[in-house]
Amino acid sequence: MAATIIQTNETPFSPIEVDTITLDIIENALRNAREEMDATLFRTAMSPGIREQGDAFPLIADRNGLMVVGQFGSFIGGFLRAYEGEIEEGDMIWLSDPYSCEGAVSHNNDWLIIRPIFRQGRLTAWACMFGHQTDIGGKVPGSLPTDATSIFEEGVRIPPIKLFRKDVLQEDILKLVLHQVRMPEWCRADLLAIVASCRVAERRVNEICERFGDDLFASATDELLARNKRAMGHLIASAVSEKKVSFEDYICDDGRGFGPYKLKCTMWREGEKVILDFDGTDPQAVGSVNFYLNENMLKMFFGIYMIMVFDPQVLFNDGFYDLVDVRIPERSLLKPAFPAALSCRTHALGRIFDVLGGLLGQGQPEFLNAAGFSSSPHLMYSGFHKDSREWFQLFQIGFGGIPGRPWGDGPDGHSLWPGFTNVPNEFLERYFPMRITRYTSLPDSGGAGKNRGGNGILMTYAFLNDGIIAIHDDRWFTSPWGVNGGEPGERSRKVLRRKSGEEIILPAKCDNIEVQEGDELDYITWGGGGWGSPVERDADLVALEVKRGLVSIEGAFDNYGVKVRDDFTVDEAATTARRAEMAKTIDTSQIFNFGPSIEELRARCEVETGLPAPMPPRQH
């Protein structure tokens, strides 16, 4: 059964030819509306995850639910197929349960609002926004348990329900949900900020329609989608071969001692259509690293990667979806069966980009990026203030090294998601009982290459209050791979230093770690892989990066073959000799440099990381 949309005016829209200038005006007006949705949300939300870091994703869709502007692609189709009810003018749908909307959102923490936009009784467009909530109840603060085995442990699940019915807020429903969470004030504020952002989009769509007419607006959105399909058709034809290519990468572990978990995809073209087949991906995990991957979301990931690598001027939208066929095996890590746990899906979500890059780059290695900061490391810190006894709770996303690229170095200490920003240290220290004693790029953590991988970050938290921390991270067991002669990036690491002097190496995924006032945590993220042979990197640039603290003197010599003097000048003779020696061992015939094999990593794991090797995944 599917949703029923109630329109009091069934008159179809009349197609109108749209001139290019008008089309550009409408396109940019919608882009601006999308940016205004973000601005409205970030200025009115309360949680630092949304307010300071921007962990939220808007879209504006046409009357058929296809995204015209946005980021993750449209999830309206999946919602409409799953929702058993009527949708009327003035309604706002609220949901968070991935299993009730075909993975439209991918874990319970993402609260989604869907607003149908009606004009004169006709459905004209849709406005949507979802944002990550700091806490939605469940077994641990932050609602992202690393050891969960079912979604029932991960906080309140919201099926598609009407938060607003004909523009009347359903206060009882809101009260019921907020009763389940640890931070009701933040959740309420963030939710209503999401609502406000959708209302902004509705106003802007109405203004465009009033200026140009409803029929022309409908025709313009049709043309924007069609234009994207034409552009993507050319890109697919030129960049994707009919010959099958495969690529695989790994999630290091599942937080329960098992791993790594393989993500495998095979790609080929049949006529104008590209096939993305995930056969060979590991079965679903017992733990919570499963990612219920919506096929349309994967199509959008593919489109974003194609556009950003080959033609960044193309506006990405949902117009090209019928050119992509996505095949995901049932009961796999990317399509788990209910009620599999999903709270730590961010690692698989981010790793998908590395897999897509590895697939697309094999045909044209000159356009290939290395592996990068393909996840969103999380730190949670919670407890009761020692003086006021008021509850505090932090959810923070960490940043790291972006991969080396054909056209330059990967940025240091950056987010996988371009729109995310860091939480200012001043904000953290003002609102949470902690001090940030170090926040620095970690020298040599980016993979060496002609174009260096971005460095990871070393951030030291000094805790001023007893509490509990949780960590969600990855790339501690496998490394971000280098390409075209570039070296892999360094792996992540977390070290808790007790005030007694004891040092404890923490797993990359852990909950309920007790900390006391005076303890410190070194939070080290991984670096991006390098691109191209390190001996081809400009020696003076290496010396400059030594001066800037991005590369150590030892790293310059060992990794780049550059001898840097104490005054940061290059010793030309020593550099020439060292690079000649290194060039004999660098294999540029292999596109990818993954580092040691999985078997070698298992054998060396405890010595190199201080942690036991994960056990091979068992069938769920």
Side-chain angles (χ1 to χ4, degrees):
M1 185 175 180
T4 301
I5 298 173
I6 306 300
Q7 299 185 94
T8 59
N9 180 358
E10 296 285 353
T11 305
F13 291 94
S14 300
I16 298 176
E17 185 173 345
V18 187
D19 64 85
T20 55
I21 294 176
T22 301
L23 188 65
D24 282 348
I25 291 172
I26 292 175
E27 174 187 348
N28 284 286
L30 289 171
R31 281 180 167 177
N32 289 340
R34 186 251 189 197
E35 296 293 332
E36 194 175 353
M37 292 175 74
D38 279 339
T40 300
L41 177 63
F42 302 156
R43 291 176 181 179
T44 51
M46 287 185 65
S47 69
I50 295 179
R51 177 186 178 90
E52 301 295 329
Q53 300 208 264
D55 191 358
F57 300 91
L59 74 85
I60 299 174
D62 76 344
R63 61 197 180 280
N64 299 312
L66 297 176
M67 187 188 83
V68 182
V69 293
Q71 187 163 342
F72 262 176
S74 180
F75 27 71
I76 296 173
F79 153 70
L80 290 175
R81 286 188 292 272
Y83 182 59
E84 299 180 359
E86 295 180 343
I87 298 174
E88 301 179 82
E89 186 169 358
D91 289 344
M92 278 200 183
I93 310 299
W94 181 21
L95 65 94
S96 73
D97 176 26
Y99 290 109
S100 67
C101 59
E102 299 181 2
V105 290
S106 53
H107 65 175
N108 291 339
N109 290 73
D110 289 333
W111 283 6
L112 168 64
I113 290 292
I114 300 175
R115 173 72 166 181
I117 301 174
F118 286 82
R119 284 183 55 79
Q120 299 173 352
R122 290 190 297 184
L123 179 63
T124 303
W126 299 81
C128 307
M129 174 77 83
F130 73 84
H132 181 103
Q133 297 297 325
T134 293
D135 189 280
I136 55 165
K139 64 186 293 188
V140 297
S143 315
L144 298 172
T146 58
D147 63 348
T149 59
S150 84
I151 198 168
F152 296 110
E153 301 171 76
E154 300 175 341
V156 62
R157 297 168 53 228
I158 306 171
I161 54 176
K162 292 186 180 181
L163 178 63
F164 285 82
R165 188 181 296 271
K166 295 185 178 179
D167 283 325
V168 177
L169 175 63
Q170 307 301 292
E171 287 279 5
D172 287 349
I173 292 175
L174 180 57
K175 184 181 297 185
L176 175 64
V177 172
L178 294 181
H179 193 68
Q180 316 304 316
V181 309
R182 296 176 179 85
M183 301 292 291
E185 297 86 357
W186 282 12
C187 286
R188 182 184 179 93
D190 290 357
L191 177 64
L192 295 182
I194 292 171
V195 168
S197 73
C198 291
R199 292 195 185 279
V200 165
E202 181 178 34
R203 287 198 297 271
R204 299 300 174 248
V205 168
N206 279 323
E207 290 168 359
I208 296 170
C209 289
E210 287 165 7
R211 178 177 178 182
F212 295 103
D214 296 358
D215 291 333
L216 192 142
F217 176 80
S219 297
T221 55
D222 290 344
E223 175 56 24
L224 289 172
L225 294 163
R227 187 178 68 179
N228 178 268
K229 181 177 179 179
R230 293 192 296 269
M232 283 294 297
H234 288 300
L235 290 178
I236 289 170
S238 62
V240 181
S241 170
E242 294 180 346
K243 181 181 178 181
K244 291 183 178 181
V245 294
S246 296
F247 192 80
E248 58 190 49
D249 207 337
Y250 294 87
I251 307 301
C252 292
D253 73 304
D254 65 355
R256 297 177 59 86
F258 296 95
Y261 287 84
K262 180 170 64 177
L263 302 179
K264 181 179 180 179
C265 187
T266 301
M267 178 181 72
W268 71 97
R269 180 169 54 82
E270 294 180 359
E272 66 174 6
K273 182 174 292 189
V274 61
I275 314 299
L276 298 170
D277 188 345
F278 284 87
D279 185 43
T281 293
D282 275 346
Q284 68 187 67
V286 175
S288 59
V289 294
N290 301 295
F291 176 30
Y292 186 4
L293 178 56
N294 178 277
E295 282 83 357
N296 282 346
M297 184 182 292
L298 191 278
K299 292 177 182 181
M300 179 52 61
F301 290 170
F302 172 81
I304 290 172
Y305 193 94
M306 288 283 289
I307 289 167
M308 296 308 295
V309 170
F310 297 112
D311 191 353
Q313 298 305 311
V314 175
L315 172 69
F316 55 85
N317 59 39
D318 287 1
F320 69 93
Y321 277 8
D322 59 358
L323 298 178
V324 184
D325 181 4
V326 177
R327 303 172 184 177
I328 306 174
E330 297 288 340
R331 303 188 73 87
S332 69
L333 192 79
L334 300 179
K335 193 177 282 293
F338 177 82
L342 305 172
S343 56
C344 299
R345 95 295 184 231
T346 185
H347 311 298
L349 187 160
R351 202 60 42 80
I352 288 292
F353 286 97
D354 283 344
V355 172
L356 290 175
L359 280 172
L360 290 164
Q362 292 181 52
Q364 297 174 293
E366 65 274 17
F367 288 111
L368 176 63
N369 292 340
F373 192 58
S374 304
S375 187
S376 294
H378 301 337
L379 172 71
M380 275 72 76
Y381 173 42
S382 60
F384 291 96
H385 284 281
K386 60 184 178 182
D387 297 325
S388 66
R389 302 306 299 165
E390 291 184 356
W391 179 258
F392 67 87
Q393 187 169 321
L394 170 66
F395 162 77
Q396 184 182 10
I397 300 171
F399 297 163
I402 300 299
R405 300 165 291 176
W407 53 87
D409 298 340
D412 303 302
H414 205 282
S415 171
L416 166 68
W417 310 110
F420 280 15
T421 55
N422 68 302
V423 180
N425 292 345
E426 295 81 0
F427 182 96
L428 293 173
E429 295 177 346
R430 170 63 179 83
Y431 291 102
F432 300 97
M434 60 169 51
R435 291 287 180 269
I436 310 302
T437 59
R438 280 188 298 182
Y439 190 7
T440 182
S441 167
L442 188 64
D444 302 328
S445 57
K450 179 180 179 180
N451 296 328
R452 178 175 60 80
N455 282 335
I457 283 178
L458 165 58
M459 194 169 182
T460 299
Y461 298 86
F463 301 110
L464 307 181
N465 202 109
D466 294 355
I468 292 173
I469 63 171
I471 293 171
H472 289 222
D473 201 3
D474 207 62
R475 285 297 196 198
W476 69 273
F477 181 70
T478 64
S479 300
W481 32 269
V483 297
N484 300 326
E487 292 293 320
E490 289 294 318
R491 295 176 286 185
S492 66
R493 182 178 171 87
K494 308 292 179 288
V495 181
L496 179 62
R497 294 196 306 277
R498 299 292 190 187
K499 58 183 177 182
S500 64
E502 178 188 11
E503 288 194 355
I504 303 170
I505 298 174
L506 295 179
K509 302 173 184 68
C510 56
D511 293 306
N512 293 318
I513 304 298
E514 294 185 3
V515 294
Q516 296 179 336
E517 181 180 355
D519 291 347
E520 291 189 340
L521 174 68
D522 285 342
Y523 196 97
I524 301 167
T525 59
W526 66 88
W531 189 98
S533 172
V535 299
E536 296 180 14
R537 187 166 179 80
D538 182 83
D540 290 330
L541 177 57
V542 174
L544 178 62
E545 292 195 319
V546 171
K547 183 177 182 180
R548 291 175 172 173
L550 300 173
V551 176
S552 69
I553 287 181
E554 297 78 14
F557 186 75
D558 293 342
N559 301 328
Y560 296 94
V562 178
K563 178 65 176 178
V564 180
R565 301 187 183 97
D566 292 341
D567 64 353
F568 303 112
T569 59
V570 176
D571 183 328
E572 299 289 351
T575 295
T576 300
R578 170 63 177 162
R579 286 191 154 183
E581 179 186 344
M582 288 179 63
K584 299 175 184 178
T585 63
I586 296 175
D587 183 5
T588 57
S589 65
Q590 298 295 318
I591 298 176
F592 302 101
N593 182 352
F594 296 99
S597 67
I598 298 297
E599 292 72 22
E600 291 174 306
L601 290 173
R602 287 194 197 280
R604 293 153 44 177
C605 184
E606 192 143 12
V607 172
E608 293 183 350
T609 70
L611 297 169
M615 297 177 288
R618 55 189 174 92
Q619 190 77 28
H620 182 52

